[in-house]
Amino acid sequence: MRQQFDVAERVRQVIGEAGCTQREFARRVVMDPSKLSRSLSGSRRFTVAELARIADAGNVDAGWLLGTTTGDGADGGAEGAAGGAAGAPRPSAPTAPPGGGRPLQIVRETVRLIAERGFHAVRVADIAAACDTSTATIHYHFPGRAELLEAAVRWCMDEDTARRAARTAEADDAREELRQLIALQAPYTERQRQQWLVWMDLWAEAARSTAIGRLHADFYQQWRRTVAEVIRRGIEQGVFRTVDPEFSALRLTALIDGLAIQVLATGPDAGGTSAEAMDIACNAYVDTELTARRSGADAAGPADRPGP
């Protein structure tokens, strides 16, 4: 708990030296302002991905934020002595990218292994071997397997949020924003396929685990809210017809999920759905259900909400 408050204090220092409000800093690091506030108060832990972005925005070393070292020295010595770094001053010059820090390495390897083997088949010993370190080092950063798996899922969520923000920042209008969001969800690349495999395991775990279920609910609330907000902006801009943004977002995200499962289940060479076909189908939904103008009063075609 003490380490958690030390980290929060260092983040406060970074925000103070950034010369902006807490809300503005949250925007810079693609973080919900309320989550930043709770993390600073100690009622919520910063995720590894959040700390990486905070370190990058503040031009500080991620290890300094965590109170650890980021060098490649012996795990037991360098990382075990990390507690003494809590009061270390911020570096005065830019440092190496935080992606080289041990916690991020552990989380990334965990994500890769989950995608390859599934939640239940990944052991701490496997993660340690993938990181070329010891299980003691893994437990130094993450007390137990459950905490590590949760950190991996949260990192995937944060990475997805950051990519969405970066991809849609320069879109000309809400319709283009929505097309960019769809393209990000289509598993074209190995990294996208990896994250979708983690999501699929997350869904299965959410049906059995209250803790993972809450994670799932939080992420989907955020994702659907993002889509609904884009649709709402499109209505205001006149590029989308008048619909219920929340219900349209529910339908579109359900379509994305179902098609992604089809893409991952079988390769296109085996007669399966391709990422390109998924992209085209989702954009067809946007064209016919959101963009299309038809004759008649608000000519929406199918009802936007189910009847009573």
Side-chain angles (χ1 to χ4, degrees), residues 79-148:
E79 290 176 344
R90 286 184 63 206
S92 57
T95 59
R102 180 68 80 184
L104 272 178
Q105 180 197 22
I106 293 170
V107 167
R108 284 171 174 162
E109 287 301 318
T110 301
V111 169
R112 181 181 66 80
L113 290 171
I114 290 172
E116 288 180 1
R117 307 178 189 181
F119 272 105
H120 293 293
V122 177
R123 304 172 304 160
V124 173
D126 298 326
I127 298 164
C131 295
D132 194 24
T133 189
S134 66
T135 56
T137 296
I138 304 296
H139 288 302
Y140 173 79
H141 293 290
F142 302 95
R145 180 178 177 278
E147 289 82 2
L148 178 52

Side-chain angles (χ1 to χ4, degrees), residues 10-29 36 54 57-60 90:
R10 293 187 190 96
V11 173
R12 283 196 194 91
Q13 185 177 342
V14 171
I15 296 172
E17 295 188 15
C20 63
T21 65
Q22 187 171 303
R23 178 171 289 276
E24 169 61 19
F25 190 82
R27 187 192 65 77
R28 292 183 187 181
V29 298
L36 176 58
I54 290 168
N59 222 13
V60 300
R90 286 184 63 206

Side-chain angles (χ1 to χ4, degrees), residues 196 203 252-263 278:
W196 266 110
W203 291 334
L252 178 55
T253 54
L255 178 63
I256 289 171
D257 292 344
L259 286 171
I261 292 172
Q262 291 183 38
V263 173
M278 169 183 169

Side-chain angles (χ1 to χ4, degrees), residues 63-77:
W64 175 79
L65 281 177
L66 287 164
T68 68
T69 60
T70 57
D72 292 328
D75 294 322

Side-chain angles (χ1 to χ4, degrees), residues 21 48 70 76 88 109 125 190 198 202 237 261 270:
T21 65
V48 173
T70 57
E109 287 301 318
E190 185 58 34
V198 173
L202 174 64
Q237 293 168 359
I261 292 172

